[in-house]
Amino acid sequence: MNAGILGVGKYVPERIVTNFDLEKIMETSDEWIRTRTGIEERRIARDDEYTHDLAYEAAKVAIENAGLTPDDIDLFIVATVTQEATFPSVANIIQDRLGAKNAAGMDVEAACAGFTFGVVTAAQFIKTGAYKNIVVVGADKLSKITNWDDRATAVLFGDGAGAVVMGPVSDDHGLLSFDLGSDGSGGKYLNLDENKKIYMNGREVFRFAVRQMGEASLRVLERAGLEKEELDLLIPHQANIRIMEASRERLNLPEEKLMKTVHKYGNTSSSSIALALVDAVEEGRIKDNDNVLLVGFGGGLTWGALIIRWGK
């Protein structure tokens, strides 16, 4: 028995903020943002719309998509860095709102790599037989920790949530390999400053991301016993189109095998990979028996990569 994905769901706020909107409030331009990041617009949550609201909506859709009910769920794992309070956790809040009386809940913090950490954690519970159905959510409201006076970072971020339901699948499907890592010495390059706003040294983070995403991708391929040509889709953290393209080139993949959503969501941290995965499913870009590679990096610094063979 292995652990795989049974259902997917997402939620993004209604409000769309384009690069042209940002031109009106800061010294920047649509051309500058697009050419350097690939971002054209992002979703921004209402002031009264919280991370747990985003997570709740995505989890609800994922459970329905899997053909399950909240009573079937054993555990909620929410990857986030923007919970409203240290406790109760976002996972506990959505467990209660969904009426999932049989489930436990916990949050995971690994920034933009958090969703991969959550998926790998869920897989361990399932593979041991401890739990059967686990909801993994990546959800962040980065707009509340964005320094809107810093044009270098303010143009990058957005809000949203993506979720999957994981459960038992056959041994030749599901999670084939993974690679999780941390480099605390680089925490000074991407963190929350004394004002609880995002600080980033773009040059150092770019170097870290290109190196670690490429190396982690190669490691999971080797551990899965796959060749580069056997990959069907690469879903990287949607932070910057240049970093994403570097990952694709490292794997010698054609452009059609790279999933891109950065243009419409921006960098949504913990939800970035999850949102791209859900969009790939909805667009029919993933089919049964496809080998899908998820890879990301995050503040801390962290990285995570994994390969899933799609289907049951």
Side-chain angles (χ1 to χ4, degrees):
M1 181 182 68
N2 200 358
I5 293 174
L6 309 181
V8 300
K10 71 175 183 183
Y11 176 80
V12 290
E14 292 182 4
R15 182 186 175 195
I16 297 174
V17 175
T18 69
N19 294 342
F20 297 105
D21 293 325
L22 294 181
E23 286 181 352
K24 301 172 185 177
I25 62 173
M26 65 182 67
E27 187 180 345
T28 191
S29 70
D30 171 66
E31 181 184 8
W32 189 90
I33 299 169
R34 279 190 297 104
T35 56
R36 286 163 177 78
T37 70
I39 300 169
E40 299 175 13
E41 61 187 39
R42 69 286 294 146
R43 300 298 183 101
I44 301 297
R46 303 186 311 271
D47 289 344
D48 63 349
E49 195 171 30
Y50 304 110
T51 298
H52 56 78
D53 295 314
L54 311 181
Y56 164 79
E57 296 293 346
K60 180 174 66 173
V61 174
I63 293 169
E64 293 172 354
N65 183 252
L68 301 174
T69 70
D71 285 346
D72 298 315
I73 306 304
D74 301 304
L75 178 66
F76 289 89
I77 300 175
V78 177
T80 185
V81 293
T82 56
Q83 53 270 72
E84 295 302 315
T86 303
F87 55 88
S89 67
V90 174
N92 280 5
I93 293 172
I94 67 172
Q95 175 268 334
D96 175 58
R97 288 183 63 181
L98 287 164
K101 60 181 181 295
N102 301 314
M106 63 179 180
D107 289 354
V108 172
E109 285 194 28
C112 306
F115 181 72
T116 59
F117 276 65
V119 168
V120 171
T121 300
Q124 310 315 304
F125 283 106
I126 294 166
K127 292 174 73 171
T128 62
Y131 291 134
K132 184 178 181 183
N133 299 311
I134 300 176
V135 175
V136 182
V137 186
D140 268 315
K141 183 182 178 180
L142 290 185
S143 58
K144 78 171 187 176
I145 60 172
T146 295
N147 180 358
W148 292 100
D149 295 322
D150 178 10
R151 69 170 188 151
T153 59
V155 301
L156 303 176
F157 302 117
D159 305 331
V164 298
V165 177
M166 297 189 64
V169 298
S170 63
D171 288 336
D172 57 347
H173 287 80
L175 183 65
L176 302 184
S177 63
F178 66 88
D179 183 77
L180 305 179
S182 299
D183 180 5
S185 69
K188 59 182 176 288
Y189 298 131
L190 181 54
N191 55 57
L192 286 186
D193 64 21
E194 62 274 12
N195 297 314
K196 303 299 182 185
K197 300 297 182 182
I198 299 171
Y199 164 79
M200 182 173 69
N201 181 320
R203 178 173 297 182
E204 292 296 335
V205 170
F206 185 92
R207 290 174 179 170
F208 171 83
V210 169
R211 183 183 74 254
Q212 285 295 356
M213 285 177 64
E215 292 177 358
S217 295
L218 293 175
R219 285 194 292 269
V220 292
L221 270 173
E222 181 179 1
R223 292 171 186 173
L226 297 175
E227 300 296 330
K228 297 174 183 177
E229 300 77 29
E230 295 179 275
L231 274 181
D232 296 290
L233 191 64
L234 169 65
I235 305 181
H237 169 41
Q238 309 285 311
N240 180 305
I241 192 62
R242 294 178 177 180
I243 297 173
M244 295 160 59
E245 286 289 352
S247 298
R248 179 185 67 80
E249 292 169 2
R250 186 74 178 270
L251 295 168
N252 297 323
L253 295 177
E255 190 162 351
E256 60 267 20
K257 288 190 175 184
L258 174 65
M259 184 64 194
K260 292 179 282 190
T261 59
V262 67
H263 60 289
K264 59 180 178 179
Y265 300 136
N267 180 347
T268 57
S269 189
S270 305
S271 68
S272 166
I273 295 174
L275 279 173
L277 173 64
V278 177
D279 276 13
V281 173
E282 292 179 346
E283 294 170 14
R285 297 189 60 181
I286 301 177
K287 59 184 183 298
D288 281 353
N289 300 311
D290 275 359
N291 296 315
V292 182
L293 194 160
L294 314 181
V295 60
F297 67 95
L301 294 168
T302 61
W303 71 86
L306 59 91
I307 295 178
I308 288 181
R309 180 166 294 150
W310 203 258
K312 300 180 181 180

